[in-house]
Amino acid sequence: MPEYSPLTFRVPEPPVRPGGEPDFSKFDVPKAGTVRRPEVDSDPDDMKDLATSLIRVLNRNAEAVGPWAGDIDTDLLLHGLRSMMRTRSFDERMMTLQRQGKTSFYMKCTGEEAIAVGQQLALLPGDMNFPTYRQQGLLICQDYPIVDMICQILSNERDPLHGRQLPVLYSAREYGFFTISGNLGTQYIHAVGWAMASAIKGDTKIATGWIGDGSTAENDFHAALVNASVYQPPVVLNIVNNQWAISSYQGIAGGDLATFAERALGYGIPSLRVDGNDFIAVHQVSKWAIERARRNLGPTLIEWVTYRVAPHSTSDDPSKYRPREESAAWPLGDPILRLKNHLIQRGLWSEERHKQAEAEFDEEMRLTAKEAERYGVMGEGASDRDIFEDVYKDMPPHLSKQRQELGV
Amino acid sequence: MAQMSMIEAIRSAMDVMLGRDENVVVFGEDVGYFGGVFRCTAGLQEKYGPTRVFDSPINESGIVGAGIGMAAYGLRPCVEVQFADYIYPAYDQIVSEAARLRYRSAGQFTASMTIRSPCGGGIFGGQTHSQSPEALFTHVSGLKTIVPSTPYDAKGLLISAIEDDDPVVFLEPKRLYNGPFDGHPDRPAQSWAGHPQGDVPEDHYTVPIGKARLVRDGFDATIVTYGTMCFVAEAAVSETGIDAEIIDLRTLLPLDIDTIANSVRKTGRCMILHEATRTSGFGAELSAQIQEECFYNLEAPIVRVTGWDTPYPHAQEWQYFPGPERVGRELTNLMEAAS
Ligand SMILES: Cc1ncc(C[n+]2csc(CCOP(=O)(O)OP(=O)(O)O)c2C)c(N)n1
Ligand SMILES: [Mg+2]
C-alpha cells in the first residue's frame, strides 16, 4: 500500500482583501482585435478557443479594431452611449431616493451598462429577455417610460406591478422583459423553454437568458444548458461575470479554475468570452449569437467579463470584503468612457456634448422622479385590494373571504 | 451573563459548538470571510479557519446536499440558507434525503445537520425576503423544526439542534434579530438590550427541543404562537386587556402538545397565531390536535389568525402581517363567542 499524506481542504480565496493593494495581475487582457471571428455557421467544435480568449474591439486609443469591429450604424452608437449614460443617471437618482427613505431598496448596474444596452440594440421586437435585477439598461435603451420604472421602485399608486414586488424587479412584457424573480437562476431555464416554444411553433423569435457569475452555481443554470444542448433552441445565454456575488468573488462559483464560458463546451454549445465593458464588442458578439439563433443554428453562451463597481445593493457595504480601490484598478475600464472616447475620436461626439448630455439626463431623471413621487413614495397609494388579485385568474372563495376579513 | 441580540446569540451558539466539537462545520453563501448578510457568522472564519467556516457557491441544493454528505461521514454541519425564501432549491435534498437517511438505511447513515435560515417579514423584503415556510418542513417525517423568538432561546436551541442526531430546520425570525417587535412599525425599533431574554450566558447551555415556553400566564384564553408573533400577541393582550395565556412553541416538531392542552383545558378558548399563510399552515395541525385533546373543554371554536393566502406583498406589508390590531379584534371576538 502506498503511503498518502493527509488530505487538505481547498477553499478559494480572492487575491486581495480590504487593506491590500488591488491585484489583477492574474487577469490576462489580450490586445483588442486579436481574437478571430468565425462564420456563424461554423462547426461548434472549431470554436472552442473562443471560450478562453477575450474578444475586444476598442483598443487603448479608442479605435475599433479587428474582425469583430464590423460596421455599426452611427445612430446606434450614439443611442447606445446615451442609453448607457441615462442608465447611470437613473441609478444615481434612485440611490438618492433610497437614501431619502422614499424607497426601501435599490440595485445599481454601474460599470456594466454596456452589456444590457449593447445586446438589446441587437434584438428585434417580439424577442424575449429573461433578465436579472442588473439589466435595467434593457428597458432604458428601449425608451421604456422612466416614470413607470420609478413608480415600481416607489411601490406607489401608479406602480405597474401594484406594489407587490420588491423595487427593481420589473416586468414589461411589451418590451420583451420577463418578470424578474428574486430567486437566482430560476429564469435561465425559462429562456430556454421560451425559445423551445418558439421553435415548436415555427416562429422566428428568439430568447435571451441572463445570469450572474455567482448564480451559475445554481442547478437551474445546468438545467438550462442541458436543455439548450439537447433541443438546440434559439436562445442566447448570457453570463454577466462582474467578479463578485455579494461578498463572494467569482472563484467561489468555480471561476478561478476555468472560465464561465468553458462550461458550455461540455454541452457542445458554442461559447464566447467577451470584454463586457467594450460596447462595440458587446453589440457585435450579441449580433453574431442572435444571428445564429435566428438562423436555427442553436444556442450560444456568452460570458461578459466586467466588474461590479457598485455595492451589491443598498443593503451592502463592499469595503468589508474587497479593497475600496479595486474598481478603479479594474483593467477593462469604464464602458461609457470607452465608447465616448471612441466617438470623439471619430468626430461623432465631443467633451462639450458629453457634458451637456450628462446634465440633460441628470435633469431628466430628477424631474421624472419628482413626477413619480406625486403618485406616492414608499408604498403609499398601493391598493390593499391588490394583495388578493392575481393570485389566481378567478378569485377562489377562500380568498374573497380573507379579503372581506381585511375589509377591503 | 452577557447582553446579546439574537444575531449575537446565534453566533455565540456556533462559536461555542465550533470550539467544543471538531466535527462542527459552518458554511453557506457569504458566510465565511464576510460573516453572513445578517452577520450571524461574523468573525467565526477568522477564529476557526476556512476549513471549518467557509463560503459556499450560490447553490442551496448543494449547500444542503454537501452537508448531508459530510454528516454521513460523521461531521455535524450547521449550514445557512441566506433567506428561507431561497430554501426551495434545497427542498428535495431536505425532504428526500436528509429526512430519510436514517429510515432507509436502518440507522447506518444519519444526517445530523442543522439548516439555519432567516424567515418572516416585517423588513419590506417583498415576496422573496419574507416567507415563513415552516409548514413545508413540519409536514415531512424525519425533520425537526424550530423557530426561536428570543436571544436566550435561539442560542440554547441552536446548540441543541447542532448536538441533535437528526436533521433540524432552524428558522430565525429576521425581524427579531435586533430586537423584539410588537407589530407596530410606526413605533421606534426596540433592542434586546435590557430585555430579560437578551441575557445570554456566554458558554454552553441548551434549551430542550420539543418544549414550549410560557410567555404569559392568563385565564381567559390561550394564544398558541411562535416567532415574531409572540410579541404581537403580547401587544394585543396589553392593548385589549384580555387576560390571555401566551404560549411560544419554540419547537414546532416535535410538538409540546401537553403544555398547549393543559392551557386550553384551563382557559377554554384558543387562538392560533402565525405569520405564514393560513391554508395547510402549521395552525391547521395545531387546531386539529387541540380539538382532539380539548374538545370537551372548548367554550368557543378555535380561531386562527395568520397571513393571507397570497404571496407576501411589498408595499402592503402591514396589511398582510397579522398585527396587534387584527389579533386584538379576533381576541375580542373569541371572548364574545359563545359555545
Ligand atoms: C436562490 C437564491 N439564493 C440566494 C439569493 C440571495 N442573493 C441575491 S443576489 C446574490 C448574489 C448574486 O450574485 P451574481 O449571480 O454574481 O449576480 P450579481 O449580483 O453580481 O449581478 C445572492 C446570493 C437569491 N436571491 N436567490
Ligand atoms: Mg456577480
Side-chain angles (χ1 to χ4, degrees):
Chain A
M1 262 237 325
E3 278 193 20
Y4 298 106
S5 24
L7 298 164
T8 56
F9 182 55
R10 169 191 192 250
V11 179
E13 265 297 317
V16 270
R17 285 297 192 182
E21 284 293 306
D23 177 9
F24 288 110
S25 56
K26 293 232 172 64
F27 179 73
D28 197 22
V29 185
K31 270 204 168 121
T34 52
V35 178
R36 73 199 178 90
R37 181 183 186 280
E39 289 307 313
V40 288
D41 56 0
S42 311
D43 187 341
D45 249 5
D46 300 335
M47 309 182 192
K48 291 189 170 162
D49 52 315
L50 299 181
T52 48
S53 51
L54 189 70
I55 298 172
R56 309 180 66 230
V57 172
L58 290 171
N59 69 12
R60 268 197 233 150
N61 303 325
E63 298 150 339
V65 297
W68 289 93
D71 243 353
I72 305 184
D73 185 67
T74 318
D75 285 345
L76 190 146
L77 288 177
L78 288 169
H79 182 56
L81 179 67
R82 287 202 190 92
S83 299
M84 291 196 288
M85 293 174 74
R86 287 178 75 226
T87 303
R88 195 166 288 182
S89 292
F90 178 75
D91 277 358
E92 288 311 320
R93 177 54 53 182
M94 294 307 100
M95 283 302 283
T96 307
L97 288 191
Q98 199 273 343
R99 275 195 294 266
Q100 292 170 341
K102 292 174 178 163
T103 182
S104 52
F105 180 79
Y106 191 70
M107 300 176 98
K108 304 208 285 185
C109 67
T110 315
E112 307 174 31
E113 293 91 343
I115 301 162
V117 172
Q119 179 154 114
Q120 178 60 51
L121 296 183
L123 289 167
L124 293 178
D127 294 339
M128 187 63 79
N129 282 290
F130 291 76
T132 81
Y133 42 76
R134 244 184 266 288
Q135 276 88 47
Q136 47 269 60
L138 296 174
L139 288 173
I140 292 175
C141 76
Q142 295 184 78
D143 295 325
Y144 180 86
I146 297 287
V147 66
D148 287 0
M149 292 173 81
I150 305 179
C151 287
Q152 196 281 329
I153 289 165
L154 298 177
S155 274
N156 64 16
E157 184 190 322
R158 218 187 120 166
D159 170 4
L161 307 182
H162 307 296
R164 293 185 192 128
Q165 267 288 51
L166 197 69
V168 316
L169 301 186
Y170 315 105
S171 179
R173 190 182 176 122
E174 297 302 310
Y175 289 77
F177 193 99
F178 189 70
T179 152
I180 304 175
S181 172
N183 300 56
L184 296 171
T186 47
Q187 305 186 172
Y188 218 50
I189 178 67
H190 301 165
V192 173
W194 197 96
M196 286 162 65
S198 181
I200 289 169
K201 298 300 281 183
D203 205 341
T204 58
K205 298 183 188 113
I206 70 144
T208 66
W210 295 88
I211 204 164
D213 49 295
S215 307
T216 60
E218 291 284 7
N219 292 9
D220 288 332
F221 170 81
H222 302 274
L225 260 59
V226 72
N227 280 277
S229 167
V230 170
Y231 300 110
Q232 295 288 303
V235 65
V236 177
L237 294 168
N238 297 288
I239 299 175
V240 180
N241 175 6
N242 61 8
Q243 313 303 314
W244 290 93
I246 310 185
S247 75
S248 300
Y249 90 114
Q250 43 107 23
I252 294 292
D256 63 348
L257 297 183
T259 70
F260 290 96
E262 280 178 283
R263 294 189 190 182
L265 300 184
Y267 290 99
I269 297 174
S271 193
L272 301 84
R273 187 165 169 269
V274 185
D275 178 345
N277 291 16
D278 177 335
F279 179 88
I280 297 185
V282 171
H283 184 69
Q284 295 293 37
V285 171
S286 294
K287 256 172 58 180
W288 185 91
I290 289 165
E291 180 68 8
R292 285 193 80 251
R294 201 89 69 194
R295 283 173 54 181
N296 213 28
L297 294 163
T300 308
L301 186 137
I302 309 169
E303 174 186 349
W304 306 109
V305 182
T306 183
Y307 186 87
R308 195 198 77 211
V309 173
H312 172 71
S313 73
T314 45
S315 317
D316 180 42
D317 173 10
S319 70
K320 289 218 160 69
Y321 51 79
R322 66 184 193 190
R324 273 178 214 280
E325 312 74 25
E326 198 179 83
S327 75
W330 172 241
L332 298 180
D334 176 74
I336 295 182
L337 200 64
R338 286 173 70 190
L339 184 59
K340 169 192 161 196
N341 289 341
H342 173 69
L343 293 173
I344 290 177
Q345 184 256 126
R346 284 175 57 183
L348 298 166
W349 194 246
S350 66
E351 287 291 352
E352 188 58 22
R353 281 175 76 183
H354 196 82
K355 271 213 185 73
Q356 268 171 17
E358 255 171 5
E360 180 195 327
F361 300 145
D362 288 350
E363 185 64 0
E364 175 200 356
M365 298 308 161
R366 193 180 67 80
L367 292 175
T368 316
K370 271 215 143 125
E371 183 192 345
E373 284 175 43
R374 289 212 309 267
Y375 301 99
V377 300
M378 197 64 183
E380 285 166 8
S383 150
D384 294 339
R385 284 181 75 88
D386 274 323
I387 298 175
F388 301 92
E389 301 289 343
D390 291 332
V391 182
Y392 299 93
K393 179 162 173 283
D394 300 312
M395 193 179 295
H398 74 285
L399 273 188
S400 315
K401 211 174 137 211
Q402 291 181 18
R403 194 179 72 183
Q404 279 165 18
E405 243 180 86
L406 182 59
V408 296
Chain B
M1 285 282 203
Q3 276 286 325
M4 293 190 200
S5 69
M6 198 191 277
I7 291 170
E8 290 161 343
I10 287 165
R11 185 189 304 147
S12 172
M14 286 185 275
D15 190 355
V16 166
M17 289 312 294
L18 282 159
R20 275 168 78 99
D21 183 350
E22 287 199 338
N23 286 325
V24 172
V25 289
V26 168
F27 60 100
E29 294 158 20
D30 302 294
V31 155
Y33 182 85
F34 183 53
V37 295
F38 288 104
R39 323 299 301 138
C40 287
T41 55
L44 296 181
Q45 183 179 71
E46 206 181 347
K47 187 163 173 188
Y48 296 99
T51 61
R52 305 280 311 281
V53 180
F54 50 93
D55 288 327
S56 71
I58 303 175
N59 180 321
E60 294 75 15
S61 155
I63 293 169
V64 174
I68 293 170
M70 293 179 197
Y73 178 93
L75 301 190
R76 284 188 185 276
C78 177
V79 304
E80 175 177 304
V81 172
Q82 202 164 81
F83 285 88
D85 316 67
Y86 304 138
I87 209 165
Y88 309 118
Y91 198 57
D92 189 34
Q93 287 292 341
I94 298 172
V95 174
S96 313
E97 303 302 325
R100 297 195 208 143
L101 233 49
R102 177 186 299 283
Y103 192 78
R104 75 176 194 231
S105 71
Q108 289 173 15
F109 296 99
T110 56
S112 52
M113 69 184 296
T114 304
I115 303 162
R116 293 181 40 243
S117 195
C119 71
I123 62 154
F124 261 111
Q127 58 186 268
T128 51
H129 304 88
S130 306
Q131 296 165 46
S132 298
E134 60 273 11
L136 297 178
F137 302 107
T138 56
H139 193 57
V140 176
S141 321
L143 297 178
K144 297 181 180 178
T145 302
I146 293 175
V147 186
S149 72
T150 70
Y152 182 88
D153 283 350
K155 177 170 174 182
L157 281 163
L158 184 53
I159 291 177
S160 293
I162 295 171
E163 290 178 343
D164 201 277
D165 290 332
D166 284 310
V168 179
V169 176
F170 192 90
L171 297 170
E172 302 165 1
K174 66 179 89 68
R175 181 66 217 223
L176 301 180
Y177 269 157
N178 291 307
F181 175 62
D182 63 7
H184 287 292
D186 42 333
R187 298 189 187 159
Q190 300 170 51
S191 100
W192 285 111
H195 192 283
Q197 292 278 322
D199 271 345
V200 179
E202 278 173 89
D203 0 306
H204 179 277
Y205 69 92
T206 58
V207 168
I209 293 175
K211 281 270 168 279
R213 176 175 73 98
L214 191 65
V215 178
R216 182 186 188 280
D217 228 343
F219 283 96
D220 294 344
T222 302
I223 303 178
V224 181
T225 188
Y226 50 92
T228 310
M229 289 300 134
C230 294
F231 300 95
V232 175
E234 278 188 285
V237 162
S238 86
E239 285 160 29
T240 56
I242 294 168
D243 184 25
E245 187 143 302
I246 302 173
I247 294 173
D248 173 4
L249 293 179
R250 305 195 292 194
T251 303
L252 274 53
L253 201 117
L255 181 67
D256 184 2
I257 187 66
D258 291 346
T259 298
I260 302 169
N262 286 339
S263 172
V264 176
R265 283 189 201 110
K266 177 176 79 176
T267 63
R269 291 173 200 263
C270 179
M271 169 186 283
I272 294 161
L273 172 60
H274 61 57
E275 193 182 339
T277 50
R278 175 176 310 197
T279 302
S280 305
F282 192 63
E285 176 62 30
L286 287 170
S287 179
Q289 291 202 33
I290 294 167
Q291 183 272 138
E292 284 160 10
E293 296 282 328
C294 308
F295 181 77
Y296 296 105
N297 305 92
L298 286 172
E299 289 164 34
I302 298 167
V303 57
R304 279 183 290 165
V305 183
T306 67
W308 311 120
D309 282 334
T310 75
Y312 213 114
H314 175 251
Q316 301 91 339
E317 170 142 59
W318 301 117
Q319 300 305 318
Y320 181 92
F321 185 93
E325 206 189 318
R326 200 193 313 168
V327 175
R329 196 170 54 239
E330 294 290 344
L331 195 57
T332 309
N333 292 343
L334 176 65
M335 292 318 298
E336 284 164 7
S339 54

